Amino acid sequence: MTNYSGNSLHNNGQTANHVRERNGRKCSGSSSGGSGSSGSAFLRVSLRGYGFCMGTLFVFCLGSLLYQLNGGPPQILLDIRQYLGESTFQDDHKFLAPRVLTFPSQVVYNRVGKCGSRTVVMLLKLLAEKHHFNLVSSEIHNKTRLSKHEQVSLMKNITSIPEPFLFTRHVHFLNFTSFKIEQPVYFNIIRDPINRFLSNYFFRRFGDFRGEQFHLLRTPNMKDEERYLDINVCILENYPECSNPRIFYIIPYFCGQHPKCREPGVWALEKAKQNVMENYLLVGILEELEDVLLLLERLLPQYFSGAVDIYKGPDYMKMGKLTSTVRKYTPTLEALQVLYHRMSFEYEFYNFIRDQFHLLKRKIGLKSEARPPAYSPEFLHELAVRTPEPLDEDEELDNALEDANSWPIQM
């Protein structure tokens, strides 16, 4: 009887030994070379893996850099994630965040008329050339209040200016946020209310040192009896130009576009204060203009760095003198007292701004001597003067304010 299982195992064993011996003979003469090949293969694999790791790290760092510079992940990473089906970024956000500069890149100076605005605008033109920001200065001087449609149109035009920009115009405060538009950084400058009124009164009639006849071009319809009207007569005899609501002028620039902002009263005053605290980076006073520029240099260095040096330079000082109003004189004490009484809200706001400005100077560490106010309650004691009550919001008020706003309100 033949046992096929036993013979099969024996034969298989012989075959396996034979194969091992044959393979051993083939490798016996090259054992040292074999070990070298194995080492080279191991080295090649390690370099490949190292290169892969470094390449991955490089791509990650580059992607992170692009993410930060563009306010979000680069488009290629979004495409890859979407292709892999692992990203919900586009479904959740729909758009990429815009690129954001590291400093305030949208600045608005809604300059108040006859508060040094032309002096500051001349300075801004030199600074724009030096620091390479876009300065847009509107030539519209007689339209400070706008309809809602006009507000939206102006705000869209402002925010479409290439950044960084500084926009300036004589216009009452615009609340961008109420129309769901990004709010820019605001700053402004005001001055003693009576001094502002006197500057405007004589500028309308006689202009400044830029040209003796320039004022005639701005007020061609002004008759001689109005042009040469004595300011004391205007105040004491209660001419419309020298009484409310026309002399209620500074507060509306900060109160805003609401109709009640043009009515002399507590509501407009408090709204103006609130807007200053919530929306303005700085509101300075013209009497301390050099300190205003110093603060702007610290708060907005990308725009105002070196402003004080330019302002104090001989060439700029020479240009600045051309903006001074000619033929200006001071009214009598009685007329000043009447005017001060009528401008009580304006002075309350001015004193509020002055206090806030001095507080900010102390916080910044700016030590300088503050000038005393030009007119104070101690000097101008109140008189029992009848001050006209604010008119209702009707055509009569609109027409009066339209006439007031048609004055040349440029410093």
Side-chain angles (χ1 to χ4, degrees):
M1 180 179 291
T2 304
N3 189 344
Y4 295 99
S5 300
N7 294 334
S8 175
L9 288 173
H10 178 73
N11 293 334
N12 288 342
Q14 291 180 342
T15 302
N17 293 332
H18 178 71
V19 170
R20 282 195 297 271
E21 291 175 359
R22 185 172 58 189
N23 290 340
R25 286 195 299 269
K26 289 182 179 180
C27 297
S28 61
S30 59
S31 60
S32 60
S35 61
S37 299
S38 299
S40 299
F42 178 79
L43 183 61
R44 285 197 299 272
V45 172
S46 298
L47 288 176
R48 187 181 298 112
Y50 178 79
F52 177 80
C53 292
M54 293 303 295
T56 303
L57 180 61
F58 175 78
V59 172
F60 176 81
C61 293
L62 180 61
S64 177
L65 178 62
L66 293 174
Y67 186 101
Q68 297 177 55
L69 290 177
N70 293 277
Q75 185 62 40
I76 186 172
L77 293 183
L78 292 177
D79 293 340
I80 293 174
R81 290 176 183 177
Q82 188 176 22
Y83 177 78
L84 296 176
E86 296 177 359
S87 174
T88 59
F89 180 87
Q90 288 183 333
D91 295 334
D92 295 339
H93 297 81
K94 304 299 182 183
F95 60 89
L96 293 176
R99 180 175 180 177
V100 179
L101 297 177
T102 57
F103 59 90
S105 57
Q106 300 181 357
V107 181
V108 172
Y109 169 34
N110 65 320
R111 60 187 191 269
V112 182
K114 305 311 296 176
C115 290
S117 59
R118 280 194 295 120
T119 299
V120 176
V121 168
M122 286 195 304
L123 180 61
L124 285 171
K125 290 179 180 179
L126 299 176
L127 291 170
E129 295 179 1
K130 178 180 179 181
H131 298 302
H132 307 291
F133 62 85
N134 293 306
L135 174 64
V136 179
S137 181
S138 175
E139 296 299 324
I140 300 176
H141 307 300
N142 59 352
K143 193 171 183 61
T144 56
R145 67 184 191 276
L146 311 172
S147 66
K148 288 187 177 180
H149 176 74
E150 291 171 331
Q151 291 179 53
V152 173
S153 177
L154 178 57
M155 287 186 284
K156 288 183 177 180
N157 288 337
I158 292 174
T159 54
S160 67
I161 302 171
E163 299 178 13
F165 70 79
L166 194 154
F167 176 82
T168 175
R169 172 179 166 174
H170 294 296
V171 64
H172 295 169
F173 173 75
L174 297 168
N175 191 338
F176 287 66
T177 306
S178 64
F179 293 95
K180 298 183 179 180
I181 303 175
E182 182 182 358
Q183 186 82 354
V185 172
Y186 269 93
F187 80 93
N188 214 323
I189 302 172
I190 65 173
R191 73 191 292 187
D192 181 275
I194 288 180
N195 278 341
R196 192 220 67 83
F197 169 77
L198 297 179
S199 181
N200 185 73
Y201 184 90
F202 291 105
F203 178 77
R204 286 190 66 224
R205 288 160 170 77
F206 309 114
D208 54 30
F209 287 100
R210 290 179 302 168
E212 185 64 23
Q213 302 301 318
F214 183 73
H215 60 284
L216 298 177
L217 300 177
R218 297 189 64 86
T219 55
N221 298 323
M222 182 179 289
K223 298 179 180 179
D224 286 345
E225 55 265 28
E226 181 182 359
R227 190 176 303 279
Y228 295 98
L229 175 65
D230 185 279
I231 192 170
N232 295 292
V233 175
C234 182
I235 296 171
L236 296 176
E237 296 188 11
N238 203 23
Y239 277 64
E241 183 179 354
C242 299
S243 60
N244 280 316
R246 294 190 184 182
I247 60 174
F248 187 72
Y249 185 84
I250 298 177
I251 288 177
Y253 272 87
F254 300 89
C255 178
Q257 297 289 333
H258 194 283
K260 291 181 68 175
C261 288
R262 304 189 295 273
E263 299 178 7
V266 175
W267 189 92
L269 170 66
E270 294 303 320
K271 186 63 177 179
K273 290 181 180 179
Q274 179 184 354
N275 281 336
V276 167
M277 299 302 295
E278 295 179 355
N279 297 289
Y280 280 81
L281 180 67
L282 173 69
V283 181
I285 55 176
L286 185 62
E287 292 80 6
E288 300 173 36
L289 180 57
E290 187 173 329
D291 287 349
V292 176
L293 297 177
L294 285 172
L295 285 180
L296 287 172
E297 282 193 6
R298 299 194 184 188
L299 298 174
L300 294 171
Q302 292 80 7
Y303 296 87
F304 287 93
S305 179
V308 175
D309 292 336
I310 297 175
Y311 173 70
K312 296 173 70 174
D315 294 337
Y316 183 81
M317 294 294 290
K318 183 177 180 180
M319 288 190 301
K321 291 180 179 179
L322 297 177
T323 65
S324 300
T325 304
V326 300
R327 299 192 187 185
K328 184 168 64 174
Y329 60 90
T330 304
T332 64
L333 176 60
E334 182 183 7
L336 288 174
Q337 290 169 334
V338 172
L339 196 58
Y340 185 87
H341 179 84
R342 293 174 182 171
M343 303 178 81
S344 58
F345 291 115
E346 294 274 274
Y347 268 98
E348 185 172 346
F349 181 73
Y350 172 77
N351 291 330
F352 166 78
I353 294 297
R354 191 170 181 269
D355 292 342
Q356 292 296 320
F357 179 66
H358 291 165
L359 177 61
L360 181 58
K361 286 203 300 183
R362 291 194 296 272
K363 287 182 177 180
I364 295 294
L366 180 62
K367 296 181 180 180
S368 62
E369 294 183 2
R371 298 181 184 179
Y375 304 100
S376 62
E378 292 76 17
F379 175 67
L380 295 169
H381 55 84
E382 292 188 0
L383 296 180
V385 179
R386 292 184 179 181
T387 302
E389 293 294 329
L391 301 176
D392 293 332
E393 187 66 24
D394 54 16
E395 290 186 0
E396 184 177 3
L397 176 58
D398 286 339
N399 291 335
L401 287 168
E402 197 66 55
D403 293 338
N405 284 324
S406 66
W407 297 353
I409 317 170
Q410 188 179 1
M411 180 66 185

